[in-house]
Amino acid sequence: MSHYRPAIERLRSVRVLDFRILGPLEVIAEGSPIRLGGPKQRATLAILLLNANRVVSVDRLADDLYAGAAPVTAVTQVQRQVSELRKLLGPAHGIETHPPGYVLRLAPERLDLHRFERLAADASRSLESDDARRAADLLRDALDLWRGPPLADLAYESFAQPAIVRLEELRLAVVEQRVDAELALGAHTQVIAELEQLVREHPLQERFAEQLMVALYRSGRQAEALDVYRSTRKRLVELLGLEPTEALQALERAILAHEPALEPVRSAPATAAVAVLAVVSGADRLDALLAVAEPLGRLPGQELIVACLVPDEGELELEAAAVSRRRTSLTAPTRAAVFTTRDPPEDVVRLAGGNDVGLVLLDAPGGLDGEQLPADLATVLERAPADVGVLSARTGELAGAGVVVPFGGGEHDWAALELGAWLASATAASLSLVGTKAESSSGRRDASRLLADASLAAQRVVGVETRPVLAEPTEDALVAAVENASLVVTGLSPRWRREGIGATRRALVRRARPPVLLVHRGPRPSALAPREARTRFTWTLEA
């Protein structure tokens, strides 16, 4: 086996790269920026990123790099820039030679623009289904990806200018959608200042003027709303010789008439996830997942969606019949779907995005005790619009003393706490939070205060009390602390791309008696997590 060692070491050294163009051009490797070269190198990378996964000819690269005045040596210059980029970015560069030029292969979510577009598309579907709260959360997350004007360090390059205009238009469209969602949620007062600035910066975009008029009217400032209409009309007439659109004129008439339709819609407060999506690759693995999923589906206003993804069409009818029989025994409102798939993670993401899913539950038939997560599971974690729970279970029954959440206060721990609290509520089980004891050698206090904050949040949102448990910060102590639980719910570290599930969670999966549910926080914030969840408490020294 020793002759394989160099190849294995090379694979371990490959860095995962994230590319960013929603601001100055950046490449991030494992949380740290890579220092790029001069303008031509940055421009070469930007051109490939703007055409990600599409072949860009050498002639096109030369024309763009030299603004249509390519020198005789342009082909050689392009080849040199690509070669230097490959060396700089390392084995994960993704730049392939493909006649008549090059293509930059990007995995899903490795470019901030792709993440932005995915979040915006998910938000649009939420708006279409009248879920303004989820849409607003997704749109805020999308806009948070922007670090300034797109490709700001290449704005002077002629090739970048059309792309910059298109990206700015995309951003403004998402801002417009986000304001619509905020207005639907009754946040009219909060968006007035932002809309006033948008109207100043984009005086000919009537949609921002229309939103500002609505926000002012709902805030009891009718005269100011009408003044916005008059000033907008004046600009349009003086600059373009045009009257406002019929939509803006109709809004002015509605304000004058105090039409009831202008009043904000009163929406019911959000509770738990709208739907729980339980996904298996065979009906024989459904019982373990339903032990967790069905109680959540019985919560008020919730439903359960069972999806069985079959790899072989010859098994379709048999699996569908098995799922149908199992469904008849469920007491939660349930929908079910059984179908063949060539791309399971893509279908999981599609189902979650199109069905108002707040939690995706997956089984782990291949196990979770390896160094890295299975590729299919990693794809779902990266792209799912909701929280994701992965169950490592040996049985379809949850027999034990209640739900236990090892809690360290990170954002994924808050997602685990939320799910654990809803499960405890749905099953009338106890809920225990496990934290670390004090460490005299480091002067670090115990985690009891952190557990108290988490308990207060769980009581406020879910109405479930918790029991604090303190243990030594070792794997052995943690495994012993959860031994009598019916289910362990634990957050999946943000470092899963490098570490898999991490050594501590592997110890739980391998050694703990109860089943373990790993929870990864999705794009939306959980109902429990504070805006800034930060803590120094950790289960292992690896942090």
Side-chain angles (χ1 to χ4, degrees):
M1 294 294 290
S2 61
H3 61 285
Y4 290 116
R5 191 165 297 139
I8 294 172
E9 291 303 320
R10 284 196 298 273
L11 285 173
R12 287 178 175 172
S13 67
V14 173
R15 300 175 295 180
V16 176
L17 302 180
D18 284 302
F19 298 90
R20 300 178 180 178
I21 63 174
L22 303 182
L25 178 65
E26 283 187 351
V27 183
I28 305 297
E30 298 178 355
S32 301
I34 294 177
R35 186 170 182 175
L36 297 172
K40 287 291 186 282
Q41 185 182 93
R42 302 176 73 87
T44 302
L45 178 58
I47 295 166
L48 293 173
L49 286 170
L50 290 170
N51 296 275
N53 298 314
R54 297 195 299 268
V55 176
V56 183
S57 70
V58 173
D59 290 341
R60 161 80 182 281
L61 279 165
D63 283 343
D64 285 351
L65 284 175
Y66 295 97
V72 176
T73 61
V75 172
T76 303
Q77 295 296 324
V78 168
Q79 292 171 340
R80 182 171 66 85
Q81 295 298 339
V82 171
S83 176
E84 290 180 355
L85 265 177
R86 285 169 166 165
K87 292 178 184 176
L88 179 68
L89 300 180
H93 56 73
I95 303 173
E96 300 176 4
T97 301
H98 198 299
Y102 302 95
V103 58
L104 175 55
R105 301 291 184 192
L106 277 188
E109 305 288 296
R110 293 276 71 88
L111 179 64
D112 57 356
L113 173 60
H114 293 167
R115 295 195 293 275
F116 174 78
E117 291 175 326
R118 190 259 299 168
L119 288 167
D122 290 346
S124 294
R125 287 190 287 269
S126 293
L127 282 175
E128 290 170 2
S129 59
D130 296 324
D131 189 350
R133 189 174 303 279
R134 181 170 181 271
D137 290 339
L138 291 170
L139 293 167
R140 290 189 203 102
D141 288 340
L143 292 168
D144 284 345
L145 294 172
W146 287 71
R147 297 165 292 110
L151 294 172
D153 50 336
L154 296 168
Y156 56 86
E157 297 280 3
S158 57
F159 81 85
Q161 289 163 13
I164 290 172
V165 171
R166 183 180 72 86
L167 291 171
E168 282 289 0
E169 289 176 350
L170 284 174
R171 185 185 68 83
L172 287 176
V174 169
V175 170
E176 178 186 310
Q177 278 192 315
R178 199 215 78 235
V179 173
D180 279 339
E182 300 279 11
L183 289 172
L185 292 171
H188 35 269
T189 303
Q190 294 91 321
V191 298
I192 288 175
E194 179 186 8
L195 283 168
E196 288 174 337
Q197 181 177 347
L198 287 168
V199 168
R200 286 194 297 269
E201 293 174 351
H202 309 280
L204 300 181
Q205 291 204 19
E206 294 181 53
R207 184 72 183 113
F208 289 136
E210 182 180 338
Q211 290 174 321
L212 178 56
M213 290 170 64
V214 171
L216 288 168
Y217 178 79
R218 289 179 177 176
S219 301
R221 298 160 66 176
Q222 176 185 347
E224 293 174 70
L226 293 171
D227 187 57
V228 171
Y229 174 81
R230 286 190 291 269
S231 59
T232 301
R233 179 183 180 277
K234 181 179 178 182
R235 283 194 301 272
L236 291 170
V237 171
E238 290 180 351
L239 296 176
L240 303 176
L242 296 174
E243 288 290 333
T245 61
E246 176 57 32
L248 204 62
Q249 295 182 46
L251 178 58
E252 183 208 23
R253 293 193 296 269
I255 290 175
L256 289 169
H258 297 280
E259 291 188 5
L262 287 179
E263 295 299 324
V265 177
R266 304 295 179 185
S267 57
T271 54
V274 173
V276 177
L277 173 63
V279 183
V280 292
S281 55
D284 59 322
R285 285 190 288 272
L286 194 54
D287 283 349
L289 211 59
L290 287 178
V292 174
E294 189 188 10
L296 294 171
R298 290 197 299 261
L299 290 167
Q302 309 307 295
E303 69 166 338
L304 173 62
I305 300 175
V306 176
C308 182
L309 278 53
V310 183
D312 184 357
E313 64 180 16
E315 301 175 3
L316 183 64
E317 293 185 10
L318 186 64
E319 295 288 356
V323 170
S324 179
R325 286 194 299 272
R326 185 66 179 87
R327 181 185 175 190
T328 60
S329 65
L330 303 178
T331 57
T334 307
R335 292 185 284 157
V338 182
F339 58 94
T340 61
T341 179
R342 294 181 178 178
D343 191 347
E346 178 63 32
D347 278 320
V348 172
V349 173
R350 178 183 61 82
L351 286 170
N355 289 280
D356 263 350
V357 169
L359 173 67
V360 179
L361 284 176
L362 307 171
D363 67 345
L368 288 173
D369 54 358
E371 290 297 323
Q372 296 296 325
L373 292 173
D376 284 4
L377 177 57
T379 299
V380 175
L381 291 178
E382 288 181 330
R383 298 184 53 201
D387 290 355
V388 177
V390 185
L391 183 65
S392 175
R394 306 166 187 82
T395 175
E397 297 181 358
L398 300 182
V403 179
V404 175
V405 179
F407 189 77
E411 60 179 348
H412 296 277
D413 290 330
W414 283 101
L417 171 59
E418 180 185 16
L419 182 52
W422 285 118
L423 274 169
S425 173
T427 60
S430 64
L431 176 63
S432 299
L433 303 182
V434 183
T436 54
K437 291 184 177 180
E439 294 181 70
S440 57
S441 59
S442 65
R444 183 178 299 172
R445 60 166 293 151
D446 64 52
S448 59
R449 185 168 59 183
L450 174 71
L451 300 186
D453 290 341
S455 177
L456 290 172
Q459 293 174 58
R460 174 177 55 83
V461 176
V462 185
V464 172
E465 294 187 9
T466 70
R467 182 173 71 94
V469 177
L470 294 178
E472 297 293 340
T474 65
E475 292 177 3
D476 289 344
L478 176 58
V479 171
V482 305
E483 186 63 22
N484 295 322
S486 57
L487 177 70
V488 179
V489 185
T490 180
L492 183 58
S493 166
R495 301 184 300 278
W496 64 265
R497 292 177 182 84
R498 299 195 303 273
E499 304 170 3
I501 66 174
T504 303
R505 291 163 187 82
R506 275 198 299 275
L508 283 173
V509 170
R510 289 174 177 173
R511 299 168 52 195
R513 181 198 59 78
V516 178
L517 180 63
L518 301 177
V519 182
H520 178 266
R521 177 188 175 278
R524 65 174 182 82
S526 76
L528 292 177
R531 290 179 181 233
E532 294 294 332
R534 297 290 183 266
T535 180
R536 296 182 60 190
F537 298 108
T538 162
W539 274 111
T540 68
L541 299 178
E542 62 189 349

